[in-house]
Amino acid sequence: MEKIIELKNVTKRFGGITALNKASLYVEQGEVVGLIGDNGAGKSTLIKTLVGVYGPDEGEIIIRGNKVLNWTALKARESGIETVFQDRALCPQQSIVWNIFMGKELTYPFGFVREKEQISEANRLIREIGFTSKLIDAESPVGNLSGGERQGVAIARAIYNNAELIILDEPTNALSLNETQKVFEFVNNVKKSNRSVLFIGHNIYHVYDISDRFVILDRGEVVHQLNKEEVKTPEELMKIMRDTIKKH
Amino acid sequence: MNKEKSIVGNIFHKNGRALGSMGYFILLMLVFLIGAPEAWMRPSLHQSVFVMLPTLIFLVIPLVFLVASGEIDLSFASTYAVAAYVFAIMVKSGIDPAIAILAGILTGAIIGALVGALIVVFRLSSLVASLGMLFLLRGVILLLTESRSITIMEIDNHWTYSALVGNFYGFPMQIFWASLFVIYCYYLFSKHVFGIHIHHVGDNSVSAEQMGINVKAVKIKAFMFVGIGAAIGGIFTTLITYTFFPTQGFGYLLLALAAVFVGGTPYWGGLGTIIGAIFGVGIIAYMEIGIIAIGWSGTWRQFFNGLIILLALLGHRLHGERVR
């Protein structure tokens, strides 16, 4: 499988503090990678480096086999990397369609929006990622949706923005069991469309259920990477994580 | 069935506030119709409302944009006078009235941009900063005119007068222009990128920024729009009365804001209704005249203005609180 993005020995320092130390990570086309680690492990710095908010002090960023210099947020978005922020960056009083096209509206000359096209595209997107309720369509207000469904709208927006890799930052945080299942459905549908997901979470059970591969981060270093076939249960993954961190 | 429910729900979600305002307007008209049927059937009563209505519309509609963006502006009541002064003084100096009108509107846009930049760039409270600008601009006008009015009777023969505020078979032209303005603003607010970004910025400015919307630019444009609306209102009033008064516009300050909120635009941003605002304007304009028409003393006017505002706000509460 083609690697969409690869970080090789990336180091990021803030003053005297090394937030990332020779961290290496890759994401292949169509896979879900679970990124786990304790608070302060460097997850946030790693994501911000992936999406170009931070440029690395050392190391390489390789996009589809090509080394990229001067890595920026714009280059990341142009390369198809989209982040679904923890707060989902939605406007709850507006409709789903307005949220999906926020800042990137389809317009006629003079700025009037192509309303019908937007609605039909938004309906297609939300059905594609797994919205099944007949009560919800593109014109439904986001404020009426549950937490999981809102996550779905944010994912649909990332797909509309031509995302090849969607970074989900703790998407199941504070969600009920049913809502978490919904988010999993959305993620699985993203995977089916041959897009990739980097799933960051605190809840090992959630990360285990949804991911194909796991990356364990500790004190700015990628300390272990393993495939799902190598771990039978979430408990085993938790044990591996604890042991690895203890040894590190 | 569920789908039908959803469609009805969406229509109500989109238009509930406008429908509410329409309800209050119809109720008010019924009260006046029952209270004073004879006076209410007289066309002259409605004609006098229609003279005032367009000015209020030019003030109120841009305010809906601004309030929906999460800001407020009080300085429009003075911008109204400054733009009218620029227009009147230019006409008085013999400059073509058409150019004077454009200069007046440009003045409104510049003042709006200044107020907006002051608030957005220096992160000042829009309520307090625009209150300061309200007094500052009014002070400038009083100083410049030495509190004297300017009469521009010479405008009577100019084409701009008949085109803008003349009579077309008994129909006041300002109603035609105000209607065009409303139609344009309706599309601008709900079908144009500018209006949609106004909604996003007022709803969640952090999200809007994350999605690449230039929040500061959107807000400054909204303030400019309020300045332009105030300028048009001031120029129309000056044309209708042939006179610029240094105190002009001040009386509209609270009435225009009341029309915005009675019309169903909530104070918290992210939502607004142009159609509702029209009914809000209607309620405020008819309230002014209706009290007298049903034979009550004018001293009741403020009392009823206050009462209707509070009742309307309580009614709009039924459309729900802010969704987060």
Side-chain angles (χ1 to χ4, degrees):
Chain A
M1 288 254 201
E2 191 189 9
K3 286 176 185 167
I4 292 181
I5 185 166
E6 187 173 9
L7 267 62
K8 263 190 183 169
N9 299 319
V10 166
T11 298
K12 181 71 198 168
R13 296 185 195 92
F14 297 102
I17 298 164
T18 305
L20 279 183
N21 188 16
K22 295 190 173 170
S24 294
L25 168 90
Y26 65 88
V27 182
E28 288 181 345
Q29 186 102 40
E31 72 168 345
V32 180
V33 176
L35 181 67
I36 43 180
D38 259 342
N39 283 336
K43 293 193 297 268
S44 189
T45 310
L46 186 67
I47 298 165
K48 284 180 178 162
T49 309
L50 268 170
V51 299
V53 173
Y54 301 146
D57 295 325
E58 286 166 29
E60 292 177 354
I61 290 176
I62 299 160
I63 300 291
R64 296 185 186 281
N66 301 313
K67 191 175 159 184
V68 181
L69 297 173
N70 302 322
W71 184 240
T72 61
L74 185 67
K75 280 189 183 172
R77 288 194 89 177
E78 282 170 357
S79 309
I81 299 168
E82 287 281 334
T83 315
V84 172
F85 297 96
Q86 221 167 38
D87 58 6
R88 297 177 292 265
L90 297 174
C91 289
Q93 297 179 106
Q94 317 309 324
S95 61
I96 291 176
V97 56
W98 277 20
N99 270 281
I100 287 179
F101 289 88
M102 196 195 308
K104 283 192 175 175
E105 293 80 5
L106 303 175
T107 57
Y108 294 110
F110 304 111
F112 285 95
V113 294
R114 295 172 180 268
E115 206 172 20
K116 278 186 184 168
E117 275 175 57
Q118 286 199 164
I119 289 171
S120 120
E121 177 67 4
N123 273 323
R124 191 190 65 74
L125 281 167
I126 60 173
R127 299 292 167 229
E128 183 189 320
I129 68 152
F131 276 80
T132 49
S133 168
K134 284 181 180 171
L135 287 169
I136 299 168
D137 64 18
E139 293 178 85
S140 306
V142 165
N144 288 1
L145 305 180
S146 66
E149 288 164 343
R150 290 186 192 200
Q151 199 67 247
V153 174
I155 295 172
R157 179 168 63 197
I159 292 175
Y160 166 67
N161 290 336
N162 294 319
E164 288 297 320
L165 168 63
I166 300 174
I167 299 171
L168 296 177
D169 187 8
E170 305 198 12
T172 53
N173 224 5
L175 293 188
S176 69
L177 207 61
N178 276 341
E179 292 306 306
T180 301
Q181 278 309 318
K182 262 184 202 159
V183 174
F184 285 179
E185 273 173 45
F186 298 146
V187 173
N188 279 325
N189 286 327
V190 170
K191 194 182 151 186
K192 271 185 210 158
S193 66
N194 208 26
R195 294 179 176 92
S196 315
V197 173
L198 183 65
F199 191 102
I200 296 119
H202 268 119
N203 189 322
I204 296 286
Y205 292 89
H206 293 176
V207 178
Y208 179 83
D209 278 351
I210 198 69
S211 308
D212 303 314
R213 198 153 58 79
F214 311 103
V215 175
I216 303 171
L217 199 66
D218 184 44
R219 281 169 280 175
E221 288 178 39
V222 172
V223 289
H224 204 37
Q225 298 202 38
L226 61 167
N227 290 325
K228 196 158 193 175
E229 298 82 58
E230 299 171 57
V231 200
K232 288 188 182 67
T233 61
E235 287 78 9
E236 193 184 337
L237 177 63
M238 206 181 304
K239 188 174 178 304
I240 293 171
M241 185 179 148
R242 270 200 219 117
D243 293 348
T244 317
I245 291 172
K246 222 181 262 176
K247 277 184 211 158
H248 181 227
Chain B
M1 179 66 187
N2 281 343
K3 183 74 183 169
E4 282 163 18
K5 260 190 193 172
S6 160
I7 291 166
V8 172
N10 282 346
I11 289 172
F12 191 73
H13 168 76
K14 277 183 176 175
N15 305 300
R17 291 174 175 275
L19 290 170
S21 307
M22 188 176 80
Y24 306 133
F25 179 72
I26 292 170
L27 195 69
L28 186 75
M29 296 300 267
L30 282 174
V31 168
F32 287 143
L33 182 66
I34 295 163
E38 274 179 37
W40 216 245
M41 299 310 272
R42 237 180 282 137
S44 59
L45 183 137
H46 301 282
Q47 271 168 359
S48 60
V49 170
F50 279 5
V51 170
M52 175 194 178
L53 210 65
T55 305
L56 212 44
I57 283 173
F58 289 126
L59 292 176
V60 170
I61 302 296
L63 278 171
V64 171
F65 281 69
L66 188 66
V67 172
S69 81
E71 300 289 349
I72 195 140
D73 185 6
L74 306 180
S75 66
F76 71 89
S78 292
T79 306
Y80 181 99
V82 176
Y85 171 73
V86 169
F87 163 69
I89 207 85
M90 284 177 83
V91 171
K92 209 69 193 160
S93 339
I95 294 169
D96 189 280
I99 295 170
I101 288 168
L102 290 177
I105 293 172
L106 187 66
T107 306
I110 292 169
I111 294 173
L114 280 175
V115 175
L118 194 70
I119 288 161
V120 171
V121 176
F122 295 101
R123 295 182 184 175
L124 302 180
S125 146
S126 56
L127 181 73
V128 184
S130 66
L131 182 66
M133 281 301 276
L134 171 80
F135 288 118
L136 185 85
L137 293 171
R138 186 63 64 178
V140 169
I141 281 292
L142 291 172
L143 287 169
L144 286 173
T145 60
E146 294 172 336
S147 303
R148 283 192 211 119
S149 53
I150 303 167
T151 311
I152 47 164
M153 290 307 290
E154 53 269 47
I155 195 87
D156 197 32
N157 297 321
H158 198 267
W159 65 268
T160 47
Y161 179 84
S162 40
L164 294 178
V165 294
N167 255 301
F168 187 74
Y169 295 107
F171 180 80
M173 284 302 286
Q174 58 265 38
I175 292 286
F176 169 74
W177 294 114
S179 305
L180 265 189
F181 186 71
V182 168
I183 293 166
Y184 174 70
C185 287
Y186 172 78
Y187 284 99
L188 191 68
F189 193 61
S190 53
K191 318 263 179 206
H192 192 274
V193 170
F194 174 57
I196 292 171
H197 286 182
I198 288 270
H199 285 84
H200 288 317
V201 166
D203 194 334
N204 187 345
S205 60
V206 177
S207 299
E209 195 138 33
Q210 280 175 351
M211 289 299 117
I213 295 172
N214 188 338
V215 171
K216 285 180 180 170
V218 169
K219 287 194 173 185
I220 291 175
K221 280 183 201 166
F223 276 102
M224 284 175 77
F225 192 35
V226 170
I228 290 170
I232 297 173
I235 292 165
F236 266 79
T237 304
T238 308
L239 281 169
I240 292 165
T241 58
Y242 299 102
T243 313
F244 160 78
F245 299 99
T247 53
Q248 104 183 11
F250 218 76
Y252 283 130
L253 174 62
L254 297 177
L255 290 179
L257 286 171
V260 173
F261 297 118
V262 168
T265 296
Y267 66 88
W268 59 69
L271 291 175
T273 156
I274 301 295
I275 305 296
I278 299 306
F279 288 112
V281 167
I283 290 168
I284 296 297
Y286 270 103
M287 179 63 84
E288 289 282 298
I289 226 148
I291 298 286
I292 313 293
I294 58 172
W296 289 36
S297 148
T299 46
W300 281 96
R301 214 175 55 193
Q302 301 242 354
F303 174 83
F304 276 104
N305 266 339
L307 188 68
I308 197 93
I309 290 168
L310 289 174
L311 288 177
L313 288 182
L314 284 171
H316 285 307
R317 251 305 194 238
L318 295 173
H319 301 297
E321 294 184 24
R322 180 171 191 171
V323 182
R324 287 177 196 277

